[in-house]
Amino acid sequence: MSEITAAQALPLLELLPQPALVILSDGRIEANPPAARLAPENAAALPGWLGSCSDAYAAWDRQGGLSLLLSRDGTEYLLTAHPLADGTLLLLSPQGAFRTDVLAATSQVLRQPLGDLASLSQHLAAGLDVGEDPGLWEDSAAITRHIYRISRILCNLADLERLRSGQYTPRMEPLDLLPFLERLLQECAGVCAEAGRTLDYQLPAASVTLYADGVLIQRAFLNLLSNALKYGDPSRPIVVRFQLLPHAVLIQMRNHCAEANATLLQDAFHRLQNRGVLPDPRWGLGLGLPLAEAVAKLHGGTAAVEQDPSGAVTVTLSFSCRRELHAGTVKMPPFDYTGGMRMSLLELCESLPTRCFADHAL
């Protein structure tokens, strides 16, 4: 679409039933009738209009499309930005109500029997002798992986609803970002290596202190990594980079996908609420990216997905460095949502091979 000029795109606005805007090179913004009340006054007003999405939008390289969730006047929109030769086309799609409250309540009830199952599995695994029957070890690893998978679904269902409804009280504290990221990435690189994948990362040159919930940030990052492992080309590395902006930190994860997989990843923002049929079990419920976006939003940022013509997909999480955004947040005592499971295996269980669970106790 980058070959199309703004002059060519403007006549198309009237034909679109959804809100649509064209940002012109001189800073003017033209909107179709559905977007008349939504549009910012001009390009200078765009950062304020985007709000917590502005940092991710500013980091967009304009090589392909960008998707992110935008809240305006109490309505949530999926905003897709497309580069023009001399401007930008913005399309807004109102999102349906995101109701996971019943599922969240169900997940809380199921946690107890799942915990009992995990304890029983651990007891049985402790009595196995690999020399007697190696097949039993393979079966034990498969059982362990399925327990991790069910646990992750229950955790995400329960916590996504709480995050989106404002009922989740985070444990905010000063977080020295560089050592935090170094520990996280070293563990993730090891887990990826076990799965035969390469994680290429470059730590930021300097550190910065975030006022953040470290467990939530880890969960958001691991959900991005799970998608990269699931959708990405296994012969190419997963690349993680960081940008330190004056008032925000950007975490960017890039991998190459087949075209069909890239579309699945872009659709992950709204796969759960738009589903009209039973899901393909290969792609899960579609909870990971919405949860990561909810975590970023809780920290004054957002999540964005870029796809360029080469098939590369970049997912960006932004986190605000402005401590005043969290001034009224209650500091909670530590809480282990994993139930003693290893967090990296729990969050990546959908994407790792069964063999990764052979030597890991619950």
Side-chain angles (χ1 to χ4, degrees):
M1 185 172 285
S2 58
E3 296 82 10
I4 299 175
T5 66
Q8 292 171 322
L10 285 175
L12 300 177
L13 289 185
E14 299 297 325
L15 304 178
L16 295 173
Q18 68 191 103
L21 322 168
V22 170
I23 304 173
L24 305 172
S25 58
D26 61 6
R28 289 182 296 125
I29 291 181
E30 296 289 343
N32 67 353
R37 293 187 297 107
L38 289 171
E41 184 177 352
N42 49 45
L46 187 63
W49 184 78
L50 289 168
S52 61
C53 299
S54 59
D55 292 317
Y57 182 87
W60 175 37
D61 63 10
R62 298 180 59 85
Q63 296 304 304
L66 171 74
S67 300
L68 47 80
L69 292 176
L70 175 70
S71 294
R72 296 296 308 171
D73 300 328
T75 300
E76 190 168 72
Y77 297 89
L78 178 66
L79 183 149
T80 55
H82 303 275
L84 303 175
D86 55 352
T88 306
L89 172 66
L90 302 182
L91 303 176
L92 291 90
S93 302
Q95 298 299 284
F98 195 105
R99 287 188 57 83
T100 56
D101 48 345
V102 175
L103 298 178
T106 303
S107 71
Q108 294 285 17
V109 174
L110 289 175
R111 275 179 165 173
Q112 181 59 52
L114 181 62
D116 294 341
L117 176 61
S119 298
L120 178 61
S121 174
Q122 186 176 10
H123 175 73
L124 293 174
L128 291 178
D129 186 342
V130 69
E132 294 179 2
D133 189 348
L136 289 178
W137 279 85
E138 295 177 9
D139 291 342
S140 176
I143 291 171
T144 299
R145 179 172 182 258
H146 288 312
I147 291 174
Y148 272 74
R149 292 178 68 194
I150 297 170
S151 297
R152 178 174 181 255
I153 290 171
L154 296 183
C155 290
N156 285 353
L157 280 173
D159 293 337
L160 177 58
E161 167 64 17
R162 294 168 61 210
L163 283 163
R164 294 179 68 96
S165 65
Q167 297 174 7
Y168 191 107
T169 305
R171 186 173 187 264
M172 294 294 192
E173 59 185 353
L175 185 68
D176 190 354
L177 193 63
L178 190 56
F180 170 81
L181 291 175
E182 188 170 15
R183 290 191 297 269
L184 175 61
L185 288 163
Q186 285 177 351
E187 178 173 5
C188 289
V191 173
C192 287
E194 285 187 63
R197 301 292 297 274
T198 300
L199 182 66
D200 178 2
Y201 64 87
Q202 183 175 326
L203 290 165
S207 191
V208 64
T209 299
L210 291 179
Y211 194 62
D213 185 316
V215 171
L216 285 180
I217 289 183
Q218 286 184 72
R219 289 180 70 178
F221 179 86
L222 289 169
N223 272 288
L224 296 195
L225 182 57
S226 177
N227 280 339
L229 288 168
K230 186 185 302 182
Y231 299 112
D233 181 347
S235 68
R236 306 185 71 164
I238 299 166
V239 179
V240 180
R241 295 292 184 265
F242 304 91
Q243 290 189 47
L244 302 184
L245 305 179
H247 301 294
V249 174
L250 303 186
I251 300 177
Q252 296 179 306
M253 191 172 297
R254 181 181 177 89
N255 64 281
H256 284 76
C257 301
E259 184 177 353
N261 288 353
T263 301
L264 278 167
L265 182 55
Q266 275 203 308
D267 290 344
F269 268 130
H270 49 80
R271 190 182 311 139
L272 182 63
Q273 65 265 44
N274 286 355
R275 177 177 287 116
V277 295
L278 289 176
D280 183 333
R282 293 175 300 168
W283 310 123
L285 284 174
L287 295 168
L289 191 56
L291 187 138
E293 192 270 340
V295 170
K297 189 173 182 180
L298 184 68
H299 291 81
T302 193
V305 179
E306 299 177 45
Q307 181 181 354
D308 69 29
S310 73
V313 173
T314 301
V315 184
T316 299
L317 292 179
S318 63
F319 301 98
S320 174
C321 296
R322 297 183 176 92
R323 179 166 179 167
E324 64 270 16
L325 291 176
H326 314 293
T329 304
V330 178
K331 185 174 179 178
M332 299 294 290
F335 171 69
D336 181 12
Y337 80 97
T338 67
M341 298 179 184
R342 181 175 163 187
M343 183 190 287
S344 57
L345 291 183
L346 176 66
E347 296 294 355
L348 301 176
C349 60
E350 292 285 350
S351 310
L352 297 177
T354 299
R355 67 176 182 272
C356 293
F357 297 83
D359 299 322
H360 296 288
L362 290 167

